[in-house]
């Protein structure tokens, strides 16, 4: 049996009176890429943010149900949210490097978590940049401003920054939507390499991308999961008519 890394049980989320997520029950496998697809405003990104409690930062949010990481309830009152976000990293739609050097972008998280020694930080910076397939392009300019990188390089830098604190799960919210096709391909190839070590959940509006990079896909509509299956099966033989209409372009 494949190991389950994250499991949600009857997860509901409300923004004030708006019921944004409705009874979401999903199991996300370890060392797999799970894609979340669906039209804009269907709850994909909202769901993604429940997995590391990013929604805690939004006023008026109320959550019921459970989210388990390795069997532990992440919404339990005793959970250290900073430690949770170290374990479950996030990469956003727009590459957002800090206005500092490439090196300091990567070292930022480890420093916050108490790592100060230069030798250890050097090692983390190099390892993270290598894992994010950007060491070859940045290794000789570590002390140059990160904001001088291209869009695709900035996004891989942000992935390296997320990896630097040693997460187990990587959440990616439309990580290539702001990138050109060549940079998109590099990030997609990178996702394929990273799943050997990490569990990845990716929100994408691009169904071809979901088909290329993911092992399993969940189709969201109006705050509900309509269908969740292996990516091959969901795209080849969707069980629900709404899934078929969405993937064939009838709506969305």
């Amino acid at each position: 049996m494949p190991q389950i890394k994250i499991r949600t049980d009857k997860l509901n989320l409300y923004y004030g009176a708006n019921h944004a997520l409705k009874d979401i029950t999903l199991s996300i496998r370890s060392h797999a890429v799970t894609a979340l697809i669906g039209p804009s405003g269907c709850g994909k990104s909202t769901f993604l943010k429940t997995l590391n409690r990013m929604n805690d930062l939004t006023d008026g949010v109320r959550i019921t149900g459970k989210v388990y990481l390795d069997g532990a309830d992440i919404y339990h009152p005793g959970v250290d949210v900073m430690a949770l976000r170290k374990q479950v990293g996030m990469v956003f739609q727009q590459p957002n490097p800090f206005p500092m050097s490439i090196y300091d972008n990567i070292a930022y998280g480890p420093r916050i978590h108490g790592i100060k020694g230069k030798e250890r930080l050097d090692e983390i910076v190099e390892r993270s940049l290598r894992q994010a397939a950007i060491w070859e392009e940045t290794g000789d300019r570590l002390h140059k401003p990160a904001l001088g990188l291209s869009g695709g390089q900035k996004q891989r830098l942000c992935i390296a920054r997320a990896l630097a604190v040693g997460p187990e799960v990587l959440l990616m919210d439309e990580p290539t939507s702001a990138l050109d096709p060549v940079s998109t391909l590099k990030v997609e190839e990178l996702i394929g390499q990273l799943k050997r070590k990490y569990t990845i959940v990716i929100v994408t509006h691009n169904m071809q991308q979901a088909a290329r990079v993911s092992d399993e896909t969940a189709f969201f509509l109006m705050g509900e999961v309509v269908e969740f299956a292996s990516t091959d099966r969901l795209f080849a033989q969707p069980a629900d008519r709404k899934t078929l209409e969405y993937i064939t372009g009838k709506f969305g």
Side-chain angles (χ1 to χ4, degrees), residues 52-128:
N52 72 346
R53 293 185 51 172
M54 288 290 281
N55 289 310
D56 289 16
L57 306 172
T58 306
D59 290 338
V61 166
R62 183 167 66 86
I63 291 173
T64 65
K66 301 285 188 187
V67 179
Y68 298 101
L69 175 65
D70 292 328
D73 177 8
I74 70 168
Y75 284 89
H76 186 276
V79 166
D80 177 339
V81 178
M82 192 167 163
L84 171 69
R85 292 193 189 128
K86 178 176 183 285
Q87 205 174 353
V88 184
M90 186 108 181
V91 176
F92 297 93
Q93 185 171 355
Q94 288 290 341
N96 58 345
F98 303 138
M100 50 179 75
S101 71
I102 291 166
Y103 183 100
D104 286 335
N105 263 271
I106 308 302
Y108 183 86
R111 283 176 176 143
I112 282 182
H113 291 285
I115 296 170
K116 301 287 188 248
K118 183 179 182 309
E119 199 172 303
R120 180 85 180 95
L121 286 170
D122 287 353
E123 179 193 315
I124 290 169
V125 168
E126 180 171 345
R127 186 188 70 232
S128 304

